[in-house]
Structure formats: C-alpha cells, structure tokens
Amino acid sequence: MSAGEEVLVAGAGMTRFEKSEASLRELAGAATREALEDAGVAVGEVEAAYVGNAVAGLVTGQEMIRGQVILRPLGIEGIPIFNVENACASAASALHLGWQAVAAGAHDCVLCLGAEKLTHEDKRVGMRAIGTAIDLEQRAELAAEVGTAGAGNGERSFFMDLYADMTRRYMSASGATAEDFAEVVVKNQHNGALNPRAQYGGELNVEQVLASRMVVDPLTLLMCSPISDGSAAVVLMSEAAARGRGVKGPRIRASVVRSGNVHDRDDPLSGSTGLAAAEGFERAGLGPGDIDCAEVHDASAPAELMVYEQIGFAEPGGGPALLASGRTRLGGELPVNTSGGLLSKGHPIGATGIAQICESTWQLRGEAGPRQVDGARIALTQNGGGWLEGDSAAMAVHILSAD
Amino acid sequence: MSAGEEVLVAGAGMTRFEKSEASLRELAGAATREALEDAGVAVGEVEAAYVGNAVAGLVTGQEMIRGQVILRPLGIEGIPIFNVENACASAASALHLGWQAVAAGAHDCVLCLGAEKLTHEDKRVGMRAIGTAIDLEQRAELAAEVGTAGAGNGERSFFMDLYADMTRRYMSASGATAEDFAEVVVKNQHNGALNPRAQYGGELNVEQVLASRMVVDPLTLLMCSPISDGSAAVVLMSEAAARGRGVKGPRIRASVVRSGNVHDRDDPLSGSTGLAAAEGFERAGLGPGDIDCAEVHDASAPAELMVYEQIGFAEPGGGPALLASGRTRLGGELPVNTSGGLLSKGHPIGATGIAQICESTWQLRGEAGPRQVDGARIALTQNGGGWLEGDSAAMAVHILSAD
C-alpha cells in the first residue's frame, strides 16, 4: 500500500463464545453494538461493512446476503456490505478488506464483523459444515492419506484428522510429545478462566488432559478446540478521522492475507504461516522479538507449538522448549493466547480472527483485567482457514501497536 | 478514493453461458485462463484474487474456500484469495474489491472472477438456492405480501414472485404493459443471437413471448432469465504497471457498491439502483447522456424498463417510451444489453456482474463483432443481488471508458 492512511481499531466488541441459544443475527448484533459503542460511532457513520461467516449457508440455509440480514435490523443499510468467506480465517479476511479500504482512503470508518453459529440440534451438522473447508473432490484421497476412515462422518471435525496427521509429522521432526501438547492446554485453559468471554477455562493438569477421550491419536478431546457460537466486531477508522474523537486505538501496523502454497510437509517452517508472518514483520518494520503478546490459531494444541516455530518465536524444533521455559505463559515475556485461545475461549470459526483482534486491542489498551500483559505495546495475531494440498487454504497475520 | 491509481481491465474471459456438463472449477478455470491470456499475464504475476460465487455451498456442498479450490489447479496459489458473496451481485462485488486494491496501490495486477453452476440433476436445487438471497426469517411474510403460495417451493425462483409484485406496482405507476415487457425480450433475444457466448438468442415476436408459459402473472417464461452455468473473469492492472505491455483497457471510471435502503416501493426512482448510478456518475464526472452502451440486470424483462428510469436514461414513467423509440436497440443511440442480457445470454448468478464487464470491455475495444456499437467510448453496467425490505440487498454500478 503506497502512502496509505494510518488505520486505528476505534472500537471492539465481542459476545461470550459458548454454545448459545441466540441466533446468528442476535450474536452478531450484540458484538456490533458493543464495537460501535466502544468507538463512540453512530450507525450512520459506518461507511462500509465487511462480514465474515463460514457455515451459515450449510447450517441455517441463509446464504449470499448474510451481512445485510444481520446489519439491517441495526439500522445499517445503504452502505457497501461484503460477505467474505475464508473458512476459519473468514473474519481476519474481512478485517483485511476493511483495513485496505481505510488505508486506501476509500472510507474513513468501517465495520469488520465475524459471526458464526456452529451448534445445531443435530451436532453433526456443524462438524460436517467445518469439514467442507477442504477440496471436497479430494476428500477420499485426503482421508486415505491421513489414515482415517472416520473423517467427514460428522462425529468429529475432519480437521482433527488433518491436525493429527500434521502432529505426528511434527513429533517426528521436533521430538515434541503428547505431554507438551497437554501443557499448551493447561496454559490456555488457565488463561481462559481469566476471560469472562471464554467458553471454558479452569485449572487442569497434564494428566487430566491426557486422560480425556482420545479423538484422533495423539489428540485428546481437551487438545481440540470446541464447537462454539459467537461473534466479534471491530470499528476501523483512519487516523485523520479519529483525531479529536478520543479514539484509543490500537494501530494496525500490518495486515497480511495469503493462501496456501504447496510445501514440504515435514518442514514446519515452510508454508503460509511463516510466509505471512515474515511479510507482516517486514511491513511493520518489526521482528518476532518485538512482540509483547500474541493470539495464535490453536485449533488443536500442537498447532500452537508449530506456530511458535513458523512465526519465529522459537527456532525450528524449539516449540516445546519455548513452552517449557514459561515465556509464553501469563507473566512470561511473550504471553501467547492470553484470551484462552481457540482451545479455551472457543472457536466459532468465522468469528475467530476478529476475536483475536479484540483481545489484542484490550491488551494494548491495558483493559485486559486479570490477564493483562504488563506494558504490552505490540501484539500479533495469526488466523488460518481451510486446508488445501498440505497447507492452510487461507492465512492471515496482523500486527498491532499501542500507538 | 483519494489520489488513487488508474485501473485498467487488462484482460477478459468468459465461458459460454448454458446448462453445462462441466464442473464449477472447469468453468472458472476456462474463464480465468482466457482472461490471463487476453491480458498477456502469467499465472505468477497475479497478486491477489477476488472470487464471486453465490450458491456452490448449497448446490455442491463446497463452501468457504471455493476460490482456492478453483485456482489451485491453475497454479494460482500463495496470494491473497477472497471468497465474496452478494447473491446475484457477487461478481460485481468481487470486482469492486479487486478494483479497490489496485486503485489503492496495494496490488498492480489482480484477478476478479465470477463463477456459478446452478444446474443440478434435481432442477429444484438451483431454484431453491437462489431463493435464499432473501432474509429467510421473512420468507413467509414476503410470500404473503407478494400474494403467492408457490414461492420458495423450488418449482420457480422466489425472485420471480418478487419481480412480479414489483412489476404490478410499476405497471400502475408507469402504464407499462405486458407487450412492453415482451418487446424487451424480443430485443435482447435478437442481441443474444449475435453473441456466441449466449445461452439462447433468436428472432421472436411479441406474440410468442406473451404466449409462453405464465410463470407468475404478468411474467411469462420468456420474460424470466434462465437457470445457467458459467464463469467470467477479468484481470485488472494499474495503469502504471500496464504501461509498455500493450494493454488495451478499458479504464474503470467508477466502481460503486451499495446495499439496499428501505424506500418507497411505488417510486421506481428511489432505492439502490438510482443511488448507485448517481454516485457512479459523480465519481466518473459523467451523466446518463454520456453512456454509449449499457448492460443492466434484466433478471426479468420489466426490470430493464425500471432500470432505464432508475439510472436516468428515461424520465420517471418513460421506460416503455424509451424502448419503443428504438434507442436502446442495436443501431440506436444507447444500445442496452447488447450481449443479450440476463434474459438471453443467461444468468449464472455469481458470474453475471463480471460477464457484464466482459461485454463492456469487448464493446469499448471494438471487438464485439456483429453486435458492435459503433464508436462506443463509455459503457455502464448495473448488477443487483438479493432482496431485503423492498430493495436489492446489494447493488453495483460500474462505468468504463475506452481510454
């Protein structure tokens, strides 16, 4: 972006993530109202809206104009509204498009919204919907490749089969163990207990995590992010427009979206996460050592360790040691998933990417309460979606600074 | 957009619209390859892709990463890929986002793609999918309002019930008759016969149109756009990047997307079409009198006449007279739907908006063969999608110039 406008997160709002009785539009409405109120922005000041959602079409039948249907009851109409899908990275993709519009000077104030309702009276409906974030024509091939017959039957998300396969490769490459993955869960459930918007949270020990039901070896139930409903929203403003309005920020220093590349599956540093992070650091003029806190896509517990290495928080193979050092716990130098992450906070897939931005916003403003990272100035988020040819189909990295 | 880059349509590609045996990805691949070849752009030069599709999730089950699945076999990977939905305006919405990225200087070369496969072994599947472009919670209310019991049963698109209701109001307001609507069909089928990519086309007379099966009074079958499969793609480049590459254009002078406003249903000039067109004219520094040819959203025949008035090609109530004058026929001063329009060329809904841009590109380059508009310099496209509270849920207007 040449000579772009500076873009601030002017407001953030988020429902609790949980298995909810509320409808998609009720959840999205609540998050949107909170974000607008936080920004001090009236409905009529919103110039465009970018709405991420992944599965409403398959779960509720409502396709195509999901954002309009959600926003109209709030009085948001007439403006450009875009419905954006990128599987579990739908919200971060919507955020990127909104950021681009403000950075370009096309708009001064936009709404970026992610919303998802995965629960359904038939539990398999949500599971099956998540399972469409692959190339369906390759489903049989993929199921054979990851060595499972159960994949895609709706009893569990197909993605846990993919994660299990990736995890087994990662264990070979790094020496990571099931105990390491359990430690990720212990950390994130501890954080989630400090977050009133988290679906779960509590004090667990490694034995409890390992003893929970085996979903796909080596992933136990507590190592898998849950099925969740929820919504998260941010209002973005140009710095020029925010001036004099008491907008607290933070500032978006980099917004990067990539799609997957075919890469070496045995090399955790190849692929879209590392490439997106490197591009983000370059755009922000920062490096991994500058990050004070991060929200990463721990859809399964081992993923958090892999991401440490992909982003450059740890050397290749050094994920487990970084975790064991305590640096990524609250109180460490680089707390990761202070919100509880996907594992504890929950994972309403089309909302997750913006929920990460909400947590980063609260951390960088010093508003994160008992899970506050002291003196946090720079935050990173990483949000992946879908699966294609051995990599995430979409990958988003955002870097924010307190000022 | 302040101080934006000039954006050129560097390449256009489109499949024939038809009931096709080919898959969605085969159709999209063919359109994409043609657009890249037309632009003289290699796969590796595409910096981002914006992919419009509306119903694949409901028709094929493939949701969330449709663009990645389509583009990966072509070797397009690694770049940002965004899946965009806005019902029948999905393609124009994807185009707008791609245009914005290039105008902003974020990218120099992007792909904008629309693709749709509506046919299915069960004909009702496509019909029902189209019917989700409304607020499903208002379906019963809407069905009662438009006075139909058949709406949404899959035997016909619910939108024809909505169009019929709108048409009855329009007839009261303007004095338009069923014969006028039949004349639109006669004109557009004549044009479609000159377009090798059109699904239908031929020489009809008013009596034949009126005698075709009644779908919803006053709309006969030939007054309704058909169920179609197809894809259309354009490559957009910044003028700076296009320099020295022999890129022929045209140039995008305005790209406007709006969502519907609650408005007076008895006033055809209120609502999103008129507002989007007015904004487009203002951005382009042009007016209705400057347009040499136009592609408008004739999903039903009466809509073309209403759009004449909404855009300002005719005074309120003057749509039928403008048609009768012959000015909007090929050979007239302002030919409309030279491609055959949705009525004759076909309407694979998520592809239509970019197909309009392809036709405009060919007209402005003088490459439209037997349907060429002599000396065409300025073209307008209008693409609407969905329905909410008495207006289109999404409305896009683009204005292009030959240089």
Side-chain angles (χ1 to χ4, degrees):
Chain A
M1 185 86 48
S2 56
E5 300 284 333
E6 292 285 320
V7 182
L8 303 182
V9 180
M14 183 183 153
T15 66
R16 184 178 174 191
F17 286 179
E18 59 190 329
K19 296 188 200 301
S20 172
E21 295 296 312
S23 69
L24 183 66
R25 76 183 73 189
E26 287 166 343
L27 294 167
T32 299
R33 278 190 295 266
E34 187 187 358
L36 291 171
E37 193 176 332
D38 186 44
V41 158
V43 157
E45 293 181 276
V46 178
E47 298 171 20
Y50 304 82
V51 182
N53 169 268
V55 306
L58 295 177
V59 172
T60 71
Q62 181 73 65
E63 278 276 16
M64 301 207 261
I65 59 164
R66 291 170 254 181
Q68 287 90 335
V69 164
I70 285 168
L71 296 173
R72 175 69 194 86
L74 306 176
I76 299 177
E77 57 171 346
I79 62 171
I81 297 175
F82 300 96
N83 298 290
V84 181
E85 273 186 39
N86 255 336
C88 299
S90 293
S93 296
L95 178 76
H96 175 83
L97 292 169
W99 164 81
Q100 188 164 84
V102 177
H107 297 296
D108 277 323
C109 178
V110 305
L111 173 70
C112 301
L113 171 66
E116 203 74 75
K117 188 166 173 65
L118 287 171
T119 60
H120 187 276
E121 54 187 17
D122 178 354
K123 184 183 161 194
R124 292 169 303 180
V125 168
M127 293 285 197
R128 274 197 294 254
I130 295 171
T132 67
I134 59 168
D135 182 343
L136 292 186
E137 292 188 11
Q138 295 181 352
R139 186 202 287 272
E141 189 186 325
L142 210 47
E145 191 178 302
V146 300
T148 177
N153 65 1
E155 293 300 325
R156 62 174 182 260
S157 160
F158 189 59
F159 276 80
M160 291 309 149
D161 293 277
L162 292 168
Y163 271 117
D165 178 65
M166 215 186 322
T167 297
R168 290 188 293 264
R169 294 168 196 268
Y170 175 67
M171 291 169 85
S172 296
S174 69
T177 65
E179 285 70 21
D180 295 323
F181 311 145
E183 291 282 11
V184 173
V185 179
V186 171
K187 171 179 77 68
N188 292 355
Q189 291 291 356
H190 169 81
N191 296 351
L194 304 175
N195 182 358
R197 305 186 203 231
Q199 184 168 359
Y200 296 111
E203 300 309 320
L204 297 173
N205 60 43
V206 165
E207 292 66 37
Q208 288 170 306
V209 177
L210 293 174
S212 67
R213 178 169 66 80
M214 185 63 72
V215 175
V216 198
D217 186 45
L219 304 178
T220 66
L221 185 64
L222 288 168
M223 295 181 195
C224 302
S225 55
I227 293 289
S228 318
D229 307 323
S231 179
V234 290
V235 174
L236 304 184
M237 290 185 81
S238 64
E239 186 168 38
R243 205 163 288 143
R245 294 182 62 124
V247 167
K248 288 180 277 189
R251 183 182 306 269
I252 299 180
R253 298 284 294 268
S255 175
V256 176
V257 173
R258 297 186 66 102
S259 53
N261 289 60
V262 172
H263 71 295
D264 177 357
R265 296 188 197 188
D266 292 322
D267 174 7
L269 291 185
S270 71
S272 57
T273 299
L275 293 167
E279 185 178 337
F281 287 131
E282 188 188 335
R283 286 175 181 264
L286 297 167
D290 295 309
I291 303 301
D292 296 315
C293 56
E295 293 288 308
V296 308
H297 198 85
D298 59 332
S300 75
E304 180 167 318
L305 301 183
M306 296 181 220
V307 170
Y308 289 173
E309 303 176 30
Q310 289 161 334
I311 288 182
F313 291 161
E315 295 296 303
L322 176 58
L323 179 73
S325 76
R327 289 187 62 224
T328 59
R329 289 184 206 152
L330 276 175
E333 291 165 62
L334 171 54
V336 174
N337 284 328
T338 58
S339 70
L342 285 57
L343 287 169
S344 177
K345 182 181 57 190
H347 184 29
I349 65 175
T352 284
I354 292 179
Q356 294 178 328
I357 300 294
C358 289
E359 177 70 8
S360 301
T361 295
W362 294 322
Q363 288 288 355
L364 296 174
R365 288 185 189 165
E367 297 175 356
R371 62 189 194 284
Q372 180 64 46
V373 175
D374 283 346
R377 308 293 299 165
I378 311 279
L380 177 145
T381 70
Q382 176 256 350
N383 177 214
W387 186 257
L388 193 63
E389 304 271 359
D391 197 356
S392 293
M395 182 56 63
V397 167
H398 285 84
I399 300 174
L400 291 83
S401 66
D403 52 24
Chain B
M1 186 85 48
S2 56
E5 300 284 333
E6 293 283 321
V7 182
L8 303 181
V9 180
M14 182 185 154
T15 66
R16 185 178 173 193
F17 286 179
E18 59 190 329
K19 295 188 201 301
S20 172
E21 295 297 311
S23 69
L24 183 66
R25 76 183 74 191
E26 287 167 342
L27 294 167
T32 298
R33 278 191 295 268
E34 187 187 358
L36 291 171
E37 192 176 332
D38 186 43
V41 158
V43 157
E45 293 181 277
V46 177
E47 297 171 21
Y50 304 83
V51 182
N53 169 267
V55 304
L58 295 176
V59 173
T60 71
Q62 181 73 65
E63 279 277 15
M64 302 206 261
I65 59 164
R66 291 168 254 181
Q68 287 89 334
V69 165
I70 285 168
L71 296 173
R72 176 66 196 86
L74 306 176
I76 298 177
E77 57 172 346
I79 62 171
I81 298 176
F82 300 96
N83 299 291
V84 182
E85 273 186 40
N86 256 336
C88 299
S90 293
S93 296
L95 179 76
H96 175 83
L97 292 169
W99 163 81
Q100 188 164 84
V102 177
H107 297 295
D108 276 324
C109 179
V110 305
L111 172 70
C112 301
L113 170 66
E116 204 75 74
K117 188 164 172 65
L118 287 171
T119 60
H120 187 277
E121 54 187 18
D122 178 354
K123 184 183 161 193
R124 292 169 302 179
V125 169
M127 293 284 197
R128 275 198 294 253
I130 295 170
T132 68
I134 59 169
D135 183 342
L136 293 186
E137 292 188 10
Q138 295 181 351
R139 187 202 287 273
E141 189 186 326
L142 210 47
E145 190 179 301
V146 301
T148 176
N153 64 1
E155 294 299 325
R156 62 175 182 259
S157 160
F158 189 59
F159 276 79
M160 291 309 150
D161 294 276
L162 292 169
Y163 271 117
D165 178 65
M166 214 185 326
T167 297
R168 291 187 293 264
R169 294 168 195 268
Y170 176 67
M171 292 170 84
S172 296
S174 69
T177 65
E179 285 71 20
D180 295 322
F181 311 144
E183 290 282 11
V184 172
V185 179
V186 170
K187 171 179 77 68
N188 292 355
Q189 291 290 356
H190 169 81
N191 296 351
L194 304 175
N195 182 357
R197 305 189 203 229
Q199 184 168 0
Y200 296 110
E203 300 309 321
L204 297 172
N205 60 42
V206 165
E207 292 66 36
Q208 288 170 305
V209 177
L210 293 175
S212 66
R213 177 169 66 79
M214 185 63 72
V215 175
V216 199
D217 187 43
L219 303 178
T220 67
L221 185 64
L222 289 169
M223 294 181 196
C224 301
S225 56
I227 292 289
S228 318
D229 306 324
S231 179
V234 290
V235 174
L236 304 184
M237 290 184 80
S238 65
E239 186 168 39
R243 205 163 288 142
R245 293 182 63 123
V247 167
K248 288 180 279 190
R251 182 182 307 269
I252 298 179
R253 298 283 295 268
S255 175
V256 177
V257 173
R258 296 185 68 101
S259 53
N261 289 61
V262 173
H263 72 295
D264 177 357
R265 297 187 197 189
D266 292 323
D267 174 6
L269 291 186
S270 71
S272 58
T273 300
L275 293 167
E279 185 178 337
F281 287 131
E282 188 187 336
R283 285 176 182 264
L286 296 167
D290 295 310
I291 304 301
D292 297 316
C293 55
E295 293 287 308
V296 306
H297 199 85
D298 59 332
S300 73
E304 181 168 318
L305 301 183
M306 295 181 220
V307 170
Y308 290 172
E309 302 175 31
Q310 289 161 334
I311 288 182
F313 292 160
E315 295 297 303
L322 175 60
L323 179 73
S325 76
R327 288 187 63 223
T328 60
R329 288 183 206 153
L330 277 174
E333 291 163 63
L334 171 55
V336 173
N337 284 329
T338 58
S339 70
L342 284 57
L343 287 168
S344 177
K345 183 181 57 190
H347 185 29
I349 66 174
T352 284
I354 292 180
Q356 293 178 328
I357 300 295
C358 289
E359 177 70 8
S360 301
T361 295
W362 294 322
Q363 288 289 354
L364 295 174
R365 287 185 189 165
E367 298 175 356
R371 62 188 194 285
Q372 180 64 45
V373 174
D374 284 346
R377 308 292 300 163
I378 312 279
L380 177 145
T381 69
Q382 176 257 350
N383 177 214
W387 186 256
L388 193 62
E389 304 271 359
D391 197 356
S392 294
M395 181 56 63
V397 166
H398 285 83
I399 300 174
L400 292 83
S401 66
D403 52 25

